[in-house]
Amino acid sequence: MSAVGPGTGDRAWGDAQSVLEPLGPEAELIADLTWVLFIGGGIIFLATMLLLAVAIRGGDGPRRILGSRRFILWAGVAFPVVVLSALLVGTLRVSAALDNRPMGAEPLKIEVIGRQFWWEVRYPGTLPSGGIVTANEIHIPVGREVELRVSAGDVYHSLWIPTLHGKIDMVPGRTNTLRLRAARPGVVRGQCTEFCGAQHALMAFYVVAETPDGYERWLERHRLPAAEPVDEFLATGRKVFAAAGCGGCHAVRGTEWDARIGPDLTHVGSRLSLAAGTLDNHRGTLGGWIAGVQDLKPGANMPSYNAVLDGRELRAVSAWLESLR
């Protein structure tokens, strides 16, 4: 099955966010347990409905059997105890297997910080000055163990990538770790699962699992500073960005802007989505987002610029940002 996601164009995606379509070994363990719970629960539900029908329409004989002390003890006490105990043991075994999976080479460490209402993603050691910083998108190489080091910059968040692993809490002042591995290339969706404020529902992200060579090419592109404007219209967009004070919140590596209040925009044009999975990423949505942030995502920590920039200025700054790839 394929689904369409932000920025895909003709690109095929797997199921965007499904625990039943695992992309890695950790998610496969969770999916197996999920199927056991679904199937077992379905069978028990059907059996319960059958007994209910017998109790209603089965006559005196079946009713006496269903109401007997022996049936109640076996079906109402012994059976639930045995089934629930087996499920508990199975769940604990899966949990232990996830915690104690053998690790190979040194894992790739990626830092993810939950913020209201977006995700900051850092790749330590990828630049002489520290590391590549991006937002709302995690790139990983297929077949390599990845350690996500997660924390929160403001309130409690929770990171969940159902096709790769279970949920993990993001706590201010504390770093938790989640180890995972993608078994094949694909693009999948993740979500915040801890209520974190007004726009919690619009706080998603994408994980791009690439071949090792593809991942290295992505790293090389993102090590580069922002490209210089190649024509007058893009240069105008850069000037609008400066005049509007956008650099007071956003960093653009290779320029004078290095603020860390909002997402790093060094290569924003290459991302799949805007506003943490809210919009497709292209010139039109960039302009719409800048003009009407508070209409599209009320409560986000960015003002709308529809009363500040005219149409030509919006088109110019959107074109410049789109060119940052």
Side-chain angles (χ1 to χ4, degrees):
M1 181 182 291
S2 64
V4 177
T8 59
D10 296 329
R11 185 176 186 172
W13 286 41
D15 276 358
Q17 187 172 321
S18 172
V19 72
L20 303 180
E21 293 289 338
L23 191 68
E26 291 81 11
E28 286 176 357
L29 285 171
I30 297 172
D32 290 343
L33 177 62
T34 301
W35 279 116
V36 170
L37 295 173
F38 282 173
I39 294 171
I43 292 172
I44 292 172
F45 174 77
L46 292 175
T48 302
M49 293 301 100
L50 177 61
L51 292 174
L52 179 62
V54 170
I56 294 173
R57 297 181 177 274
D60 293 339
R63 288 175 184 172
R64 281 196 298 270
I65 294 172
L66 296 179
S68 67
R69 179 176 298 179
R70 177 176 295 181
F71 183 84
I72 293 172
L73 288 174
W74 280 103
V77 178
F79 178 76
V81 168
V82 171
V83 170
L84 293 176
S85 297
L87 291 176
L88 175 61
V89 170
T91 303
L92 292 175
R93 290 184 65 181
V94 169
S95 180
L98 291 172
D99 288 339
N100 299 302
R101 288 189 65 81
M103 305 302 293
E106 179 70 14
L108 171 66
K109 292 182 173 62
I110 301 174
E111 297 174 0
V112 184
I113 303 170
R115 302 188 185 279
Q116 292 177 305
F117 300 96
W118 59 283
W119 310 85
E120 183 174 346
V121 184
R122 301 175 179 174
Y123 295 78
T126 52
L127 290 171
S129 58
I132 294 166
V133 180
T134 183
N136 303 320
E137 198 168 295
I138 305 172
H139 284 248
I140 62 174
V142 168
R144 183 174 176 185
E145 301 288 349
V146 177
E147 181 178 276
L148 298 182
R149 300 176 61 82
V150 306
S151 61
D154 36 49
V155 300
Y156 282 81
H157 301 277
S158 183
L159 178 145
W160 187 35
I161 315 168
T163 52
L164 288 171
H165 211 300
K167 302 174 184 178
I168 185 168
D169 287 336
M170 310 176 83
V171 181
R174 177 185 175 90
T175 299
N176 293 329
T177 60
L178 183 73
R179 288 197 172 190
L180 52 84
R181 177 164 58 89
R184 61 185 187 277
V187 183
V188 296
R189 187 176 186 271
Q191 181 73 43
C192 179
T193 57
E194 179 86 21
F195 181 73
C196 56
Q199 294 303 322
H200 162 70
L202 294 181
M203 188 172 168
F205 62 95
Y206 289 92
V207 178
V208 182
E210 303 182 270
T211 63
D213 288 344
Y215 175 73
E216 288 300 323
R217 288 193 296 271
W218 180 86
L219 277 182
E220 287 304 313
R221 289 195 303 272
H222 280 69
R223 285 189 176 105
L224 299 174
E228 289 295 322
V230 296
D231 60 39
E232 184 178 348
F233 190 60
L234 296 183
T236 298
R238 191 184 190 282
K239 292 176 183 177
V240 171
F241 184 91
C246 304
C249 292
H250 297 282
V252 182
R253 194 157 32 84
T255 71
E256 65 271 30
W257 303 306
D258 61 356
R260 295 295 178 191
I261 298 173
D264 186 297
L265 301 180
T266 304
H267 295 285
V268 64
S270 68
R271 295 173 194 162
L272 297 173
S273 71
L274 294 174
T278 304
L279 302 168
D280 291 353
N281 185 15
H282 53 73
R283 187 178 304 187
T285 52
L286 278 162
W289 172 251
I290 295 167
V293 170
Q294 294 304 316
D295 295 318
L296 294 167
K297 205 167 181 178
N301 293 323
M302 176 176 166
S304 297
Y305 281 82
N306 54 345
V308 178
L309 305 177
D310 61 29
R312 186 176 186 279
E313 290 172 327
L314 274 173
R315 291 191 296 273
V317 72
S318 301
W320 179 64
L321 291 171
E322 185 189 43
S323 74
L324 300 180
R325 295 178 176 274

